[in-house]
Amino acid sequence: MTKRIVLPLVIFAAALTGCDTLARMKDTATATAVDFIPRTVDKKIGELASLQAEATLDSVPPAAHAHLSELVEALLRVVELPGLKPTFRVTNSNMPNAFAFPNGSIFFTTKLLEIAQTPEEILAVAGHELAHVTERHSMQQLVTRAAFTVVLNFVVGDVAGLADLLNTGSSLLNLKFSRDHEREADAVGVDFLGKAQLPHRGAAAFFQRMKEFEESNLATQETMKYLSFLATHPQTDERVAWAKNLPPDTHIKVPEPQRKAFAEIKKLYPLPGKVPAQK
Ligand SMILES: [Zn+2]
């Protein structure tokens, strides 16, 4: 057995067990395995997987995509994603959610834009989603799922393995991240905000907002099942507490052009029950 196939075997062995220590070993091994996969694979899988979300783009006014992109643009300048060009767009949905594909295609739902009340909240979610891409969490999930055969094919250079993985890519929308990945995305997202000289205080506000949504009668059992932003995230209370413990940053302001972009978003997606402001 060559050294090159030892790593996938370790992942496979760990995947067969439910033991915590081995599960953690599996996470580490998976992350290492993903390091061997070129970013061009993230790009291909992401392009395929985001087709479904992209099919809905026309139902959203072009201005919505443009304003969202403007609001988050500073974040894109602080991330390094060779070969990938992250994009932020809006998709029509009654569920407040945001999701990221491995190619950097990130979507905010219209309901999330309705519920958010400050630009800081949108920025916090954007940082979090971007972190899922930079840390390659979807790829890690796919590698874990595809387990032994596909990883082995990759490592030994069998391109058929890529086709299998691409097929799996179509189910990315239903993919759930582990709590560890969510915690990591929270932390890395806050780091990106700091580098972009943007405030992170929106994280606490937004988690609180989602908690209110969770507890309100707007959130049925059915919608909660699909809320990837909440469902497998660490407990909302834990996240609110974590975000509230971050260093105060009231001295950091969202620049005026981005505040205006947010105001334009709110004209399109006012808080439920509110009449849009007249021009
Ligand atoms: Zn997440």
Side-chain angles (χ1 to χ4, degrees), residues 98 128-129 132 177 181-182 185-186 228-229 233 239:
H128 174 98
E129 294 303 325
H132 277 313
F177 294 125
H181 282 171
E182 294 301 350
D186 282 341
S228 66
F229 199 87
H233 281 65
R239 297 180 90 192

Side-chain angles (χ1 to χ4, degrees), residues 172-187:
L172 264 185
L173 256 183
N174 302 320
L175 194 117
K176 298 211 184 302
F177 294 125
S178 69
R179 289 188 172 192
D180 281 347
H181 282 171
E182 294 301 350
R183 286 191 191 97
E184 186 176 44
D186 282 341

Side-chain angles (χ1 to χ4, degrees), residues 66-233:
H67 295 313
L68 178 63
S69 303
E70 186 175 3
L71 175 53
V72 303
E73 68 165 357
L75 276 172
L76 298 181
R77 280 188 250 123
V78 300
V79 298
E80 279 184 42
L81 282 166
L84 298 184
K85 199 172 176 294
T87 53
F88 282 85
R89 289 175 291 182
V90 181
T91 183
N92 234 325
S93 171
N94 278 331
M95 290 177 276
N97 203 2
F99 43 93
F101 294 99
N103 61 335
S105 197
I106 296 168
F107 290 89
F108 278 61
T109 66
T110 45
K111 181 57 87 180
L112 188 151
L113 297 177
E114 277 179 23
I115 284 180
Q117 291 177 36
T118 63
E120 288 86 347
E121 291 166 49
I122 300 284
L123 287 166
V125 178
H128 174 98
E129 294 303 325
L130 201 52
H132 277 313
V133 180
T134 61
E135 305 314 300
R136 306 180 83 184
H137 290 155
S138 298
M139 296 303 292
Q140 291 184 42
Q141 289 291 94
L142 285 181
V143 166
T144 306
R145 271 194 182 186
F148 181 64
T149 47
V150 172
V151 179
L152 182 65
N153 285 340
F154 258 117
V155 178
V156 299
D158 178 354
V159 286
L162 179 60
D164 286 351
L165 199 54
L166 282 171
N167 287 334
T168 318
S170 60
S171 64
L172 264 185
L173 256 183
N174 302 320
L175 194 117
K176 298 211 184 302
F177 294 125
S178 69
R179 289 188 172 192
D180 281 347
H181 282 171
E182 294 301 350
R183 286 191 191 97
E184 186 176 44
D186 282 341
V188 173
V190 164
D191 191 40
F192 289 156
L193 290 164
K195 284 182 181 154
Q197 297 184 299
L198 291 166
H200 56 238
R201 58 183 171 274
F206 188 75
F207 292 148
Q208 189 64 43
R209 192 90 59 215
M210 291 300 276
K211 189 169 146 58
E212 284 161 16
F213 179 84
E214 216 177 330
E215 289 164 358
S216 75
N217 51 16
L218 291 171
T220 62
Q221 287 273 312
E222 193 60 15
T223 56
M224 292 310 293
K225 206 168 79 183
Y226 292 101
L227 274 186
S228 66
F229 199 87
L230 284 175
T232 56
H233 281 65

